[in-house]
Every structure is written in C-alpha cells, then in structure tokens.
Amino acid sequence: MTTDQKPAPQQEAKDPDSRKSPASPRRRWVRTLGIGLLAIAVAGGGGYLWLDASSDVHNAGQNECVNVTPTGQASPGDRDAVCGVLESLIDAWDRNDAVAYGSQFTEDATYATYVGSYYEGRADIVNSHKALFGGFLEGSKLANSYLGIRFLSPDTAVVTGRGDDYTGDAPDELSKVQTYTLIREADDRWRVAAFQNTQRKSVMERISFILSPDTRPEAEK
C-alpha cells in the first residue's frame, strides 16, 4: 500500500429501526385525539342504538278503525261512516289512484306532510299525489292504526292514529303520527277537511323522556 492511499471507510450497518426518530409530540397528540374521537363515536353509536331500541310505544292503537270507541256527539252509524272514509283513503293509495284519494277530501281541504309540505285544496292534493305515485311513492301502500275518534259536534270528527307508507312487507312499527279532521258536508257525506302528518323522532323522544320525565304521555308511562 502506498502512502497516499487511504483505507476505504467502513460502511455503517443499515438498520432501518436505528434511523427512526421518536414520535413527535404533535404526532402523539393527533393519535391520542383520533383514538378518543373513535371511542366517543363507538360509545355514541351504542347509545343511539340503545335509545332507539328502548323507545317502543305502548299505545300503538287499534288495527281496525271500527274497533275504536268514539267519544263526543256521535250519532248511530257516524263512526262507521268516518271509518269508511279512512278505509277509502287507504284503498285509493294502495291502488296509487290520486283522483280517488283526493275525492275523500273537501274542496278546500288542507294537507300537511311530515316533511313540511303544505297543500291547499283538493286539486293541490290530487296533483301532488299524481306526481308522488308516479315517482317516489310508486307502488307503495299504506299501513294505519287508530288511537282515537272524537266527535266535536254532530258534523265534525277528529281521528288520531299512526301510519306509514311502504313497499313489500308491512312495517312492524308505524313511524308517523297523524290527525284527520272530518266534516259532514251538505250531501251528508263525510270528508277530510284537514290532515296533519308528523314523523316520530324516536331517539329525540326517548331523550326527552329521560331528561324530563313529565313530558312522557300518560299512555306511555
């Protein structure tokens, strides 16, 4: 070896782990936050499922309208006549017949849906249901149960119940609460003068009952 030759430098062992720097505080914080958020999400999801599963209603109503005992100023046969109107509504819906459905309403009837759409007059109700039966609700049917029938006068009745539209098998639990106001018109026929449809928010209702027990209806205690 000549004097101007230098020995080749020794190569350091290539240990991948030896070059890894320890996790920075920022990285550890992000990881901890992510785990915490995941735990909260899992706990929240479990809590939501528990609230939903424990929110069954006790007062599901009668499957048949004629099984409800009316209150108020009902004349013999009036309950059956009122129930006949509601059965005609179901029949028309099941056939997706908007004209027949609308014929059960008064000329100036009002109709409020669970999404907040508000219709005025029979023509408005018919036209909107023609569009629904040709689109979103094509082939759908109605499921109803009945909570009460009150005759406010000999010619005015209020029917409350639960309901849902469906395709395929009928639902086990009805998700909407409904109010029908019917009147006897000059031709002696009963028709729906106003309809209100409200979507039941089962989890929100359950939370309300837990945080404020006095908000629970008597029928649900």
Side-chain angles (χ1 to χ4, degrees), residues 9-31:
Q10 294 183 352
Q11 292 184 346
E12 296 180 359
K14 294 183 178 180
D15 183 357
D17 293 335
S18 66
R19 295 200 300 269
K20 287 183 179 179
S21 59
S24 66
R26 176 182 175 83
R27 188 178 300 172
R28 287 197 300 271
W29 181 84
V30 171
R31 184 180 302 166

Side-chain angles (χ1 to χ4, degrees), residues 44-162:
Y48 182 93
L49 292 175
W50 175 79
L51 288 167
D52 189 42
S54 62
S55 65
D56 292 340
V57 296
H58 299 150
N59 187 17
Q62 298 284 342
N63 290 331
E64 299 293 335
C65 179
V66 293
N67 290 337
V68 178
T69 301
T71 61
Q73 307 175 48
S75 298
D78 283 344
R79 180 200 59 184
D80 291 353
V82 165
C83 289
V85 173
L86 301 183
E87 290 302 316
S88 294
L89 284 173
I90 295 173
D91 177 68
W93 186 294
D94 290 353
R95 292 184 286 108
N96 286 187
D97 187 336
V99 175
Y101 185 76
S103 71
Q104 303 304 316
F105 292 84
T106 63
E107 193 69 36
D108 60 350
T110 58
Y111 193 106
T113 73
Y114 76 95
V115 297
S117 299
Y118 176 73
Y119 301 100
E120 287 188 277
R122 181 186 294 157
D124 211 10
I125 295 168
V126 169
N127 291 336
S128 62
H129 282 80
K130 281 182 178 179
L132 289 169
F133 292 150
F136 300 122
L137 297 177
E138 184 177 7
S140 66
K141 296 184 177 182
L142 282 186
N144 278 26
S145 68
Y146 303 91
L147 297 169
I149 303 174
R150 291 180 296 138
F151 283 87
L152 306 183
S153 75
D155 298 319
T156 306
V158 174
V159 180
T160 52
R162 302 185 188 277

Side-chain angles (χ1 to χ4, degrees), residues 131-198:
L132 289 169
F133 292 150
F136 300 122
L137 297 177
E138 184 177 7
S140 66
K141 296 184 177 182
L142 282 186
N144 278 26
S145 68
Y146 303 91
L147 297 169
I149 303 174
R150 291 180 296 138
F151 283 87
L152 306 183
S153 75
D155 298 319
T156 306
V158 174
V159 180
T160 52
R162 302 185 188 277
D164 240 329
D165 58 82
Y166 68 96
T167 54
D169 295 333
D172 294 327
E173 183 175 321
L174 305 180
S175 69
K176 302 178 182 74
V177 179
Q178 302 171 331
T179 301
Y180 300 85
T181 301
L182 299 95
I183 63 171
R184 191 201 317 263
E185 295 199 291
D187 61 358
D188 205 38
R189 284 191 56 187
W190 287 88
R191 293 183 179 87
V192 180
F195 173 69
Q196 170 70 45
N197 197 16
T198 301

